[in-house]
Protein backbone atom coordinates (compact mmCIF):
# COMPACT_ATOMS: atom_id res chain seq x y z
CA UNK A 1 0.00 0.00 0.00
CA UNK A 2 1.20 3.50 -0.82
CA UNK A 3 1.13 6.28 1.78
CA UNK A 4 -1.24 8.46 -0.26
CA UNK A 5 -4.45 7.46 -2.00
CA UNK A 6 -3.36 9.59 -4.96
CA UNK A 7 -0.80 6.94 -5.87
CA UNK A 8 -1.30 3.71 -7.76
CA UNK A 9 0.09 1.65 -10.59
CA UNK A 10 -1.03 1.08 -14.17
CA UNK A 11 -0.96 -1.89 -16.55
CA UNK A 12 2.74 -1.32 -17.23
CA UNK A 13 3.45 -1.54 -13.52
CA UNK A 14 4.49 2.12 -13.39
CA UNK A 15 3.72 4.46 -10.52
CA UNK A 16 0.72 6.72 -11.16
CA UNK A 17 -0.51 9.86 -9.45
CA UNK A 18 -4.13 10.82 -9.95
CA UNK A 19 -4.17 8.14 -12.65
CA UNK A 20 -1.28 9.63 -14.68
CA UNK A 21 1.85 7.56 -15.37
CA UNK A 22 4.80 9.20 -13.60
CA UNK A 23 7.30 7.99 -16.21
CA UNK A 24 5.25 9.70 -18.92
CA UNK A 25 4.93 12.86 -16.82
CA UNK A 26 8.71 12.94 -16.36
CA UNK A 27 9.28 12.44 -20.07
CA UNK A 28 6.69 15.01 -21.12
CA UNK A 29 7.43 17.81 -18.67
CA UNK A 30 11.00 17.09 -17.58
CA UNK A 31 12.40 16.73 -14.07
CA UNK A 32 12.52 17.81 -11.32
CA UNK A 33 8.76 18.09 -11.48
CA UNK A 34 6.16 18.77 -8.83
CA UNK A 35 2.99 16.81 -9.55
CA UNK A 36 -0.33 17.28 -7.75
CA UNK A 37 -3.51 15.22 -7.69
CA UNK A 38 -6.38 17.67 -7.93
CA UNK A 39 -9.00 15.16 -6.83
CA UNK A 40 -7.31 14.65 -3.48
CA UNK A 41 -6.87 18.39 -2.98
CA UNK A 42 -10.59 18.86 -3.63
CA UNK A 43 -11.51 15.94 -1.38
CA UNK A 44 -9.46 17.44 1.46
CA UNK A 45 -10.97 20.88 0.96
CA UNK A 46 -14.45 19.39 1.03
CA UNK A 47 -13.83 17.38 4.16
CA UNK A 48 -13.06 20.60 6.06
CA UNK A 49 -15.89 22.57 4.51
CA UNK A 50 -18.44 19.82 4.98
CA UNK A 51 -17.37 19.37 8.62
CA UNK A 52 -18.32 22.97 9.35
CA UNK A 53 -21.58 22.51 7.43
CA UNK A 54 -22.42 19.28 9.24
CA UNK A 55 -21.19 19.84 12.77
CA UNK A 56 -21.51 23.62 13.08
CA UNK A 57 -24.51 24.45 10.88
CA UNK A 58 -22.25 26.06 8.32
CA UNK A 59 -21.41 28.93 10.67
CA UNK A 60 -17.81 29.27 9.63
CA UNK A 61 -15.31 29.32 6.81
CA UNK A 62 -12.25 27.33 5.82
CA UNK A 63 -9.30 29.40 4.67
CA UNK A 64 -6.77 27.42 2.65
CA UNK A 65 -3.39 28.48 4.07
CA UNK A 66 -1.79 29.43 0.79
CA UNK A 67 1.74 29.51 2.27
CA UNK A 68 1.70 25.71 1.92
CA UNK A 69 1.52 26.03 -1.88
CA UNK A 70 0.60 29.36 -3.36
CA UNK A 71 -0.09 29.82 -7.06
CA UNK A 72 -2.96 31.12 -9.14
CA UNK A 73 -4.38 27.69 -9.87
CA UNK A 74 -4.57 26.79 -6.17
CA UNK A 75 -6.46 30.06 -5.59
CA UNK A 76 -8.86 29.13 -8.40
CA UNK A 77 -9.44 25.66 -6.98
CA UNK A 78 -10.06 27.06 -3.48
CA UNK A 79 -12.46 29.57 -4.99
CA UNK A 80 -14.40 26.92 -6.92
CA UNK A 81 -14.70 24.88 -3.71
CA UNK A 82 -16.03 27.87 -1.79
CA UNK A 83 -13.03 28.15 0.52
CA UNK A 84 -11.35 31.34 1.66
CA UNK A 85 -7.61 32.04 1.43
CA UNK A 86 -5.12 32.73 4.19
CA UNK A 87 -2.38 35.02 2.87
CA UNK A 88 0.49 36.52 4.77
CA UNK A 89 2.37 38.74 2.38
CA UNK A 90 1.76 41.21 -0.40
CA UNK A 91 2.91 38.49 -2.80
CA UNK A 92 0.43 35.89 -1.60
CA UNK A 93 -2.31 38.54 -1.72
CA UNK A 94 -1.24 39.58 -5.22
CA UNK A 95 -1.48 35.92 -6.30
CA UNK A 96 -5.07 35.84 -5.02
CA UNK A 97 -5.83 39.16 -6.73
CA UNK A 98 -4.45 38.04 -10.08
CA UNK A 99 -6.48 34.82 -9.84
CA UNK A 100 -9.64 36.92 -9.34
CA UNK A 101 -10.16 35.42 -5.92
CA UNK A 102 -13.08 37.06 -4.08
CA UNK A 103 -11.11 39.16 -1.61
CA UNK A 104 -13.82 39.32 1.01
CA UNK A 105 -12.92 35.65 1.58
CA UNK A 106 -9.25 36.48 2.21
CA UNK A 107 -7.72 36.57 5.68
CA UNK A 108 -4.46 38.55 5.85
CA UNK A 109 -1.84 37.50 8.42
CA UNK A 110 1.74 38.19 9.37
CA UNK A 111 3.75 39.30 12.36
CA UNK A 112 5.33 42.19 10.48
CA UNK A 113 3.13 43.54 7.74
CA UNK A 114 4.58 46.72 6.31
CA UNK A 115 2.67 49.90 5.54
CA UNK A 116 2.29 49.07 1.84
CA UNK A 117 1.04 45.56 2.57
CA UNK A 118 -1.64 46.82 4.96
CA UNK A 119 -2.62 49.43 2.41
CA UNK A 120 -2.81 46.81 -0.35
CA UNK A 121 -4.93 44.58 1.90
CA UNK A 122 -7.42 47.28 2.91
CA UNK A 123 -7.58 48.90 -0.51
CA UNK A 124 -8.24 45.58 -2.23
CA UNK A 125 -11.01 44.79 0.24
CA UNK A 126 -9.74 41.74 2.12
CA UNK A 127 -12.41 40.40 4.46
CA UNK A 128 -10.25 40.19 7.56
CA UNK A 129 -6.83 41.28 8.72
CA UNK A 130 -5.30 39.48 11.67
CA UNK A 131 -3.50 42.13 13.71
CA UNK A 132 -0.37 40.97 15.46
CA UNK A 133 -0.15 43.66 18.16
CA UNK A 134 -1.81 46.74 19.62
CA UNK A 135 0.56 48.92 17.66
CA UNK A 136 -0.38 47.22 14.41
CA UNK A 137 -4.08 47.64 15.21
CA UNK A 138 -3.48 51.39 15.37
CA UNK A 139 -1.62 51.31 12.08
CA UNK A 140 -4.46 49.38 10.43
CA UNK A 141 -6.93 51.88 11.87
CA UNK A 142 -5.02 54.88 10.60
CA UNK A 143 -4.52 53.43 7.11
CA UNK A 144 -8.22 52.47 6.97
CA UNK A 145 -9.05 56.04 7.96
CA UNK A 146 -7.07 57.56 5.11
CA UNK A 147 -8.75 55.11 2.73
CA UNK A 148 -12.12 55.99 4.24
CA UNK A 149 -12.87 52.37 5.08
CA UNK A 150 -13.79 50.31 8.10
CA UNK A 151 -11.66 47.14 8.26
CA UNK A 152 -12.69 43.96 10.01
CA UNK A 153 -9.85 42.64 12.19
CA UNK A 154 -9.05 39.75 14.47
CA UNK A 155 -6.30 39.84 17.07
CA UNK A 156 -3.70 37.09 17.06
CA UNK A 157 -3.20 35.79 20.56
CA UNK A 158 -0.91 33.15 22.01
CA UNK A 159 -3.17 31.02 24.14
CA UNK A 160 -0.32 29.29 25.98
CA UNK A 161 -0.66 25.98 24.19
CA UNK A 162 2.29 24.63 22.30
CA UNK A 163 1.82 21.58 20.14
CA UNK A 164 4.39 19.30 18.64
CA UNK A 165 3.87 16.31 16.45
CA UNK A 166 3.53 13.78 19.22
CA UNK A 167 2.80 15.80 22.32
CA UNK A 168 1.50 19.08 23.50
CA UNK A 169 2.21 21.21 26.48
CA UNK A 170 0.43 24.07 28.11
CA UNK A 171 3.07 26.70 28.66
CA UNK A 172 3.32 30.41 29.09
CA UNK A 173 4.70 30.57 25.56
CA UNK A 174 5.26 34.26 26.11
CA UNK A 175 8.42 33.90 24.07
CA UNK A 176 6.86 34.09 20.61
CA UNK A 177 7.26 36.55 17.78
CA UNK A 178 3.61 36.00 16.92
CA UNK A 179 0.63 37.64 18.55
CA UNK A 180 -0.20 38.95 21.99
CA UNK A 181 -0.17 36.87 25.15
CA UNK A 182 -3.37 35.98 26.93
CA UNK A 183 -2.02 35.17 30.34
CA UNK A 184 0.00 38.32 31.01
CA UNK A 185 -3.11 40.41 30.36
CA UNK A 186 -1.49 41.94 27.26
CA UNK A 187 -4.27 40.74 24.95
CA UNK A 188 -6.90 42.12 27.30
CA UNK A 189 -5.24 45.55 27.34
CA UNK A 190 -4.99 45.64 23.55
CA UNK A 191 -8.71 44.91 23.22
CA UNK A 192 -9.56 47.52 25.84
CA UNK A 193 -7.62 50.18 23.92
CA UNK A 194 -8.99 49.04 20.55
CA UNK A 195 -12.40 50.41 21.54
CA UNK A 196 -11.27 53.88 20.59
CA UNK A 197 -10.32 52.93 17.06
CA UNK A 198 -13.10 54.05 14.75
CA UNK A 199 -11.96 52.52 11.49
CA UNK A 200 -11.70 48.96 12.61
CA UNK A 201 -14.42 46.45 13.33
CA UNK A 202 -12.96 44.30 16.08
CA UNK A 203 -14.51 40.90 15.39
CA UNK A 204 -12.56 38.38 17.43
CA UNK A 205 -9.48 36.29 18.01
CA UNK A 206 -7.02 34.20 16.07
CA UNK A 207 -4.58 31.55 17.26
CA UNK A 208 -2.32 29.06 15.52
CA UNK A 209 -0.61 26.57 17.80
CA UNK A 210 1.73 24.68 15.48
CA UNK A 211 1.96 22.49 12.43
CA UNK A 212 2.04 18.75 11.56
CA UNK A 213 0.00 17.92 14.69
CA UNK A 214 -1.78 14.57 15.00
CA UNK A 215 -3.56 15.09 18.29
CA UNK A 216 -6.81 17.09 18.45
CA UNK A 217 -6.39 17.73 22.20
CA UNK A 218 -4.15 20.83 21.92
CA UNK A 219 -6.63 22.43 19.49
CA UNK A 220 -9.50 21.75 21.87
CA UNK A 221 -7.43 23.07 24.74
CA UNK A 222 -6.61 26.27 22.84
CA UNK A 223 -10.26 26.72 21.84
CA UNK A 224 -11.30 26.41 25.48
CA UNK A 225 -8.75 28.99 26.66
CA UNK A 226 -9.90 31.38 23.95
CA UNK A 227 -13.58 30.96 24.75
CA UNK A 228 -12.81 31.54 28.44
CA UNK A 229 -11.04 34.73 27.44
CA UNK A 230 -13.98 35.81 25.28
CA UNK A 231 -16.22 35.41 28.33
CA UNK A 232 -13.86 37.58 30.39
CA UNK A 233 -13.78 40.28 27.70
CA UNK A 234 -17.59 40.26 27.53
CA UNK A 235 -17.97 40.46 31.28
CA UNK A 236 -15.30 43.04 32.05
CA UNK A 237 -15.28 45.18 28.93
CA UNK A 238 -18.76 44.55 27.59
CA UNK A 239 -17.25 43.63 24.20
CA UNK A 240 -18.78 40.79 22.26
CA UNK A 241 -16.12 38.88 20.31
CA UNK A 242 -18.07 36.97 17.70
CA UNK A 243 -15.40 35.42 15.47
CA UNK A 244 -12.80 32.78 16.30
CA UNK A 245 -10.02 31.59 14.00
CA UNK A 246 -8.25 28.47 15.27
CA UNK A 247 -5.50 28.43 12.63
CA UNK A 248 -4.13 25.41 10.81
CA UNK A 249 -1.84 22.57 11.78
CA UNK A 250 -3.34 19.11 11.23
CA UNK A 251 -0.69 16.59 10.28
CA UNK A 252 -0.23 14.41 7.19
CA UNK A 253 1.32 11.05 6.44
CA UNK A 254 4.91 11.58 5.34
CA UNK A 255 6.01 8.06 6.26
CA UNK A 256 4.32 4.86 7.37
CA UNK A 257 4.86 5.89 11.01
CA UNK A 258 2.58 8.93 10.64
CA UNK A 259 -1.04 8.16 11.42
CA UNK A 260 -3.31 11.14 10.94
CA UNK A 261 -7.04 10.68 11.55
CA UNK A 262 -9.50 11.71 8.86
CA UNK A 263 -9.80 15.51 8.92
CA UNK A 264 -13.55 15.18 9.40
CA UNK A 265 -12.88 13.41 12.71
CA UNK A 266 -10.48 16.13 13.88
CA UNK A 267 -13.02 18.77 12.96
CA UNK A 268 -15.88 16.94 14.64
CA UNK A 269 -13.87 16.63 17.87
CA UNK A 270 -12.64 20.20 17.70
CA UNK A 271 -16.14 21.58 17.11
CA UNK A 272 -17.54 19.45 19.93
CA UNK A 273 -14.84 20.83 22.25
CA UNK A 274 -15.58 24.37 21.13
CA UNK A 275 -19.32 23.94 21.72
CA UNK A 276 -18.68 22.46 25.18
CA UNK A 277 -16.50 25.43 26.09
CA UNK A 278 -19.16 27.87 24.82
CA UNK A 279 -21.80 26.16 26.97
CA UNK A 280 -19.55 26.09 30.03
CA UNK A 281 -18.56 29.74 29.75
CA UNK A 282 -22.01 30.82 28.53
CA UNK A 283 -20.56 32.38 25.41
CA UNK A 284 -22.50 32.56 22.16
CA UNK A 285 -20.98 30.23 19.59
CA UNK A 286 -18.62 32.31 17.47
CA UNK A 287 -18.28 32.28 13.69
CA UNK A 288 -15.57 29.66 13.25
CA UNK A 289 -12.53 29.79 10.99
CA UNK A 290 -9.80 27.22 10.37
CA UNK A 291 -6.74 27.53 8.13
CA UNK A 292 -5.43 24.16 6.97
CA UNK A 293 -2.52 24.26 4.54
CA UNK A 294 -0.38 21.13 4.69
CA UNK A 295 -3.34 18.79 5.21
CA UNK A 296 -5.01 20.06 2.03
CA UNK A 297 -2.11 19.88 -0.36
CA UNK A 298 0.75 17.93 1.26
CA UNK A 299 -0.17 14.33 0.55
CA UNK A 300 -1.57 15.27 -2.87
CA UNK A 301 1.88 16.17 -4.22
CA UNK A 302 5.01 14.29 -5.22
CA UNK A 303 8.30 15.36 -6.78
CA UNK A 304 9.78 13.45 -9.69
CA UNK A 305 13.55 13.46 -10.16
CA UNK A 306 15.98 11.81 -12.53
CA UNK A 307 18.72 9.81 -10.86
CA UNK A 308 22.27 10.80 -11.77
CA UNK A 309 25.41 9.53 -10.11
CA UNK A 310 25.28 6.56 -7.74
CA UNK A 311 28.31 6.46 -5.47
CA UNK A 312 29.07 3.61 -3.12
CA UNK A 313 31.57 4.21 -0.33
CA UNK A 314 32.03 0.63 0.92
CA UNK A 315 31.21 0.22 4.57
CA UNK A 316 30.17 3.85 4.84
CA UNK A 317 27.24 4.88 2.67
CA UNK A 318 25.74 4.66 -0.79
CA UNK A 319 24.80 8.04 -2.25
CA UNK A 320 22.16 8.39 -4.93
CA UNK A 321 22.21 11.87 -6.50
CA UNK A 322 19.16 13.37 -8.14
CA UNK A 323 18.81 16.44 -10.35
CA UNK A 324 17.23 18.65 -7.69
CA UNK A 325 17.59 18.83 -3.93
CA UNK A 326 17.45 21.52 -1.29
CA UNK A 327 16.43 24.14 -3.86
CA UNK A 328 13.13 22.36 -4.52
CA UNK A 329 12.75 20.73 -1.08
CA UNK A 330 14.63 22.40 1.78
CA UNK A 331 12.72 20.51 4.48
CA UNK A 332 15.46 18.02 5.32
CA UNK A 333 18.09 20.70 5.71
CA UNK A 334 15.68 22.84 7.74
CA UNK A 335 13.93 20.25 9.90
CA UNK A 336 15.50 16.87 9.10
CA UNK A 337 12.08 16.07 7.68
CA UNK A 338 11.48 12.48 6.66
CA UNK A 339 10.10 11.29 3.35
CA UNK A 340 9.47 8.10 1.46
CA UNK A 341 10.44 7.50 -2.15
CA UNK A 342 9.56 5.05 -4.91
CA UNK A 343 11.04 4.21 -8.26
CA UNK A 344 8.56 5.14 -10.98
CA UNK A 345 9.14 1.93 -12.93
CA UNK A 346 9.14 -0.52 -10.05
CA UNK A 347 7.12 0.99 -7.21
CA UNK A 348 6.30 -2.35 -5.65
CA UNK A 349 9.81 -3.77 -5.66
CA UNK A 350 11.14 -4.50 -2.19
CA UNK A 351 14.06 -2.43 -0.92
CA UNK A 352 17.30 -4.38 -0.96
CA UNK A 353 19.86 -1.78 -0.01
CA UNK A 354 20.07 1.27 2.20
CA UNK A 355 20.92 4.45 0.34
CA UNK A 356 20.95 8.18 1.00
CA UNK A 357 19.25 10.31 -1.61
CA UNK A 358 20.98 13.63 -2.10
CA UNK A 359 20.60 16.68 -4.31
CA UNK A 360 23.01 18.40 -6.67
CA UNK A 361 23.84 21.44 -4.56
CA UNK A 362 27.19 22.51 -3.13
CA UNK A 363 26.31 21.54 0.37
CA UNK A 364 26.79 18.29 2.31
CA UNK A 365 23.46 18.82 4.07
CA UNK A 366 21.70 18.80 0.71
CA UNK A 367 19.89 15.58 1.52
CA UNK A 368 16.38 14.55 0.52
CA UNK A 369 16.19 11.22 2.34
CA UNK A 370 18.78 9.77 4.67
CA UNK A 371 19.09 5.99 4.93
CA UNK A 372 16.15 4.66 2.98
CA UNK A 373 15.79 1.07 1.80
CA UNK A 374 15.41 1.04 -1.96
CA UNK A 375 15.54 -1.49 -4.78
CA UNK A 376 18.61 -1.23 -6.97
CA UNK A 377 18.84 2.27 -8.45
CA UNK A 378 20.65 3.27 -11.62
CA UNK A 379 21.46 6.47 -13.45
CA UNK A 380 18.43 7.53 -15.48
CA UNK A 381 15.80 6.06 -13.15
CA UNK A 382 12.85 8.28 -12.27
CA UNK A 383 12.52 8.65 -8.53
CA UNK A 384 9.36 9.94 -6.85
CA UNK A 385 9.65 11.56 -3.44
CA UNK A 386 6.22 11.40 -1.82
CA UNK A 387 4.04 13.86 0.09
CA UNK A 388 5.95 16.91 -1.11
CA UNK A 389 2.86 18.99 -1.91
CA UNK A 390 3.19 21.39 1.03
CA UNK A 391 6.07 23.75 1.83
CA UNK A 392 8.24 22.49 -1.02
CA UNK A 393 7.51 24.69 -4.02
CA UNK A 394 6.56 27.49 -1.62
CA UNK A 395 9.98 27.34 0.06
CA UNK A 396 11.97 26.63 -3.11
CA UNK A 397 14.98 28.78 -3.97
CA UNK A 398 17.35 29.42 -6.84
CA UNK A 399 20.40 28.31 -4.86
CA UNK A 400 23.30 27.70 -7.21
CA UNK A 401 21.15 29.46 -9.81
CA UNK A 402 19.12 26.35 -10.34
CA UNK A 403 15.81 27.24 -12.02
CA UNK A 404 12.66 26.42 -10.05
CA UNK A 405 10.92 23.24 -11.21
CA UNK A 406 7.59 23.20 -13.03
CA UNK A 407 4.37 22.11 -11.35
CA UNK A 408 1.72 19.97 -12.98
CA UNK A 409 -1.84 19.37 -11.77
CA UNK A 410 -3.42 16.05 -12.67
CA UNK A 411 -7.19 15.69 -12.84
CA UNK A 412 -8.62 12.25 -13.58
CA UNK A 413 -5.39 11.17 -15.25
CA UNK A 414 -5.02 14.31 -17.37
CA UNK A 415 -2.06 16.59 -16.57
CA UNK A 416 -1.82 20.34 -17.11
CA UNK A 417 1.07 22.67 -16.31
CA UNK A 418 0.09 25.14 -13.57
CA UNK A 419 3.55 26.65 -13.00
CA UNK A 420 6.09 26.79 -15.82
CA UNK A 421 9.65 25.66 -15.31
CA UNK A 422 11.98 28.62 -14.84
CA UNK A 423 14.51 29.24 -17.57
CA UNK A 424 18.08 30.52 -17.30
CA UNK A 425 16.69 33.78 -18.69
CA UNK A 426 14.35 33.94 -15.68
CA UNK A 427 17.37 33.43 -13.45
CA UNK A 428 19.19 36.52 -14.74
CA UNK A 429 16.07 38.61 -15.37
CA UNK A 430 16.69 41.03 -12.51
CA UNK A 431 20.47 41.14 -12.78
CA UNK A 432 21.78 44.51 -13.89
N1 LIG B 1 -2.29 29.66 9.82
C1 LIG B 1 -1.17 30.26 10.27
C2 LIG B 1 -1.27 31.54 10.95
C3 LIG B 1 0.07 29.65 10.07
O1 LIG B 1 1.16 30.25 10.52
C4 LIG B 1 0.15 28.42 9.38
C5 LIG B 1 1.43 27.79 9.14
C6 LIG B 1 -1.05 27.84 8.92
C7 LIG B 1 -2.25 28.48 9.17
C8 LIG B 1 -1.07 26.54 8.17
O2 LIG B 1 -0.59 25.48 8.91
P1 LIG B 1 -0.64 23.98 8.31
O3 LIG B 1 -2.09 23.55 8.25
O4 LIG B 1 -0.03 24.01 6.98
O5 LIG B 1 0.14 23.18 9.30
N2 LIG B 1 7.54 25.45 6.72
C9 LIG B 1 7.07 24.51 7.72
C10 LIG B 1 5.66 24.78 8.13
C11 LIG B 1 5.45 26.18 8.67
C12 LIG B 1 4.03 26.43 9.03
C13 LIG B 1 3.84 27.90 9.24
N3 LIG B 1 2.52 28.29 9.52
C14 LIG B 1 7.23 23.09 7.19
O6 LIG B 1 7.69 22.92 6.06
O7 LIG B 1 6.93 22.13 7.90
Amino acid sequence: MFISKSLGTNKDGNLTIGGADTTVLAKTFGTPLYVFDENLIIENMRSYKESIDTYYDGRGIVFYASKAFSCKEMARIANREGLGLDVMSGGELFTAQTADFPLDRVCYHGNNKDFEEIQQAIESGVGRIVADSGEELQLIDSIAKTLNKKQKVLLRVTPGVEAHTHEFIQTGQIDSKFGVTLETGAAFDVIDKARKLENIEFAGLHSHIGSQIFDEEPFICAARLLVGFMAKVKKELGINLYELNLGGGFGIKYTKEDKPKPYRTYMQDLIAGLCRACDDFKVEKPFLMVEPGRSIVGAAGITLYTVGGVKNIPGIRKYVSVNGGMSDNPRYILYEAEYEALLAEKPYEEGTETVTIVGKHCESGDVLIKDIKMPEIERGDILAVLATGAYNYSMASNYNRVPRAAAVMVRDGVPRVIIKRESYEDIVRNDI
Side-chain angles (χ1 to χ4, degrees):
M1 263 314 279
F2 300 122
I3 60 164
S4 163
K5 66 207 270 189
S6 293
L7 306 173
T9 49
N10 61 11
K11 60 179 180 357
D12 299 321
N14 293 338
L15 178 70
T16 59
I17 173 162
D21 187 322
T22 53
T23 65
V24 176
L25 291 169
K27 216 172 276 156
T28 311
F29 302 105
T31 58
L33 184 70
Y34 299 103
V35 190
F36 293 84
D37 173 18
E38 189 171 1
N39 285 340
L40 184 56
I41 291 172
I42 290 173
E43 186 184 317
N44 291 335
M45 287 180 170
R46 288 184 186 169
S47 60
Y48 280 106
K49 189 167 187 297
E50 287 167 7
S51 302
I52 292 189
D53 292 343
T54 311
Y55 307 119
Y56 207 62
D57 296 331
R59 281 178 299 119
I61 183 167
V62 181
F63 295 115
Y64 163 60
S66 68
K67 68 201 78 186
F69 176 46
S70 173
C71 65
K72 289 189 201 177
E73 190 62 6
M74 279 305 295
R76 291 186 201 108
I77 295 171
N79 186 15
R80 278 202 296 273
E81 291 302 314
L83 267 68
L85 270 194
D86 150 353
V87 303
M88 65 74 55
S89 68
E92 286 181 358
L93 175 56
F94 187 72
T95 306
Q97 288 176 292
T98 52
D100 291 327
F101 196 89
L103 296 168
D104 58 327
R105 275 195 267 137
V106 166
C107 188
Y108 194 105
H109 291 268
N111 71 300
N112 187 23
K113 312 166 189 77
D114 60 33
F115 186 93
E116 286 74 19
E117 286 177 316
I118 296 174
Q119 201 167 34
Q120 180 190 354
I122 299 175
E123 231 167 12
S124 67
V126 304
R128 296 167 181 84
I129 297 181
V130 178
D132 199 72
S133 65
E135 185 212 348
E136 195 181 82
L137 264 179
Q138 286 180 10
L139 186 59
I140 295 168
D141 180 66
S142 75
I143 296 174
K145 194 171 201 156
T146 55
L147 294 171
N148 206 16
K149 292 215 185 189
K150 190 153 186 160
Q151 177 64 50
K152 186 188 269 194
V153 295
L154 307 173
L155 178 66
R156 176 151 184 177
V157 296
T158 41
V161 174
E162 224 184 320
H164 304 283
T165 305
H166 297 295
E167 55 171 356
F168 88 94
I169 36 173
Q170 237 180 297
T171 64
Q173 218 212 336
I174 295 163
D175 189 0
S176 169
K177 76 166 181 169
F178 299 106
V180 192
T181 317
L182 280 193
E183 66 168 25
T184 57
F188 187 86
D189 291 345
V190 168
I191 295 172
D192 189 14
K193 292 202 184 92
R195 286 192 281 193
K196 291 194 218 74
L197 306 176
E198 287 173 0
N199 289 77
I200 62 166
E201 176 193 336
F202 196 95
L205 306 175
H206 170 276
S207 88
H208 172 76
I209 56 168
S211 199
Q212 184 62 2
I213 303 165
F214 293 121
D215 183 3
E216 63 286 349
E217 228 19 74
F219 291 101
I220 294 170
C221 182
R224 192 169 183 85
L225 287 164
L226 293 167
V227 170
F229 180 69
M230 285 159 68
K232 178 181 158 81
V233 168
K234 178 86 199 265
K235 183 158 171 260
E236 294 176 28
L237 297 176
I239 298 174
N240 188 27
L241 300 177
Y242 51 90
E243 295 201 347
L244 184 60
N245 184 332
L246 294 172
F250 290 126
I252 66 161
K253 199 174 181 69
Y254 280 107
T255 69
K256 293 197 172 66
E257 273 73 63
D258 297 328
K259 297 196 170 58
K261 293 178 202 161
Y263 301 123
R264 241 174 259 273
T265 310
Y266 282 125
M267 286 296 288
Q268 186 177 12
D269 293 349
L270 174 59
I271 289 170
L274 172 64
C275 292
R276 252 192 329 272
C278 290
D279 290 346
D280 292 349
F281 288 102
K282 300 192 174 39
V283 164
E284 231 172 86
K285 292 189 180 70
F287 184 82
L288 174 64
M289 290 159 275
V290 288
E291 299 167 340
R294 190 193 312 267
S295 54
I296 283 182
V297 81
I302 61 173
T303 311
L304 299 177
Y305 300 95
T306 304
V307 173
V310 178
K311 186 179 288 173
N312 192 20
I313 310 172
I316 306 285
R317 189 179 295 283
K318 189 165 184 174
Y319 285 99
V320 173
S321 296
V322 296
N323 59 340
M326 60 184 282
S327 56
D328 60 76
N329 182 358
R331 294 192 71 256
Y332 179 87
I333 204 159
L334 285 171
Y335 321 115
E336 292 186 24
E338 293 183 353
Y339 286 95
E340 288 191 2
L342 296 170
L343 289 175
E345 282 179 306
K346 35 186 177 180
Y348 281 125
E349 210 166 295
E350 284 286 306
T352 48
E353 53 181 358
T354 300
V355 301
T356 288
I357 297 166
V358 296
K360 62 183 285 177
H361 295 279
C362 295
E363 198 129 336
S364 298
D366 174 27
V367 170
L368 288 172
I369 308 179
K370 195 173 174 192
D371 296 336
I372 179 174
K373 250 189 154 183
M374 295 293 292
E376 200 178 328
I377 305 184
E378 290 173 6
R379 181 180 281 274
D381 283 346
I382 301 298
L383 181 97
V385 175
L386 312 181
T388 58
Y391 304 110
N392 273 227
Y393 177 82
S394 64
M395 296 201 297
S397 76
N398 288 125
Y399 184 37
N400 297 135
R401 295 233 132 173
V402 169
R404 280 186 185 77
V408 164
M409 186 69 73
V410 176
R411 180 88 198 252
D412 299 325
V414 183
R416 63 185 191 277
V417 175
I418 58 167
I419 303 175
K420 286 193 274 187
R421 186 176 301 284
E422 281 180 347
S423 63
Y424 291 137
E425 274 309 312
D426 291 328
I427 295 283
V428 296
R429 189 170 309 283
N430 294 320
D431 290 11
I432 308 290

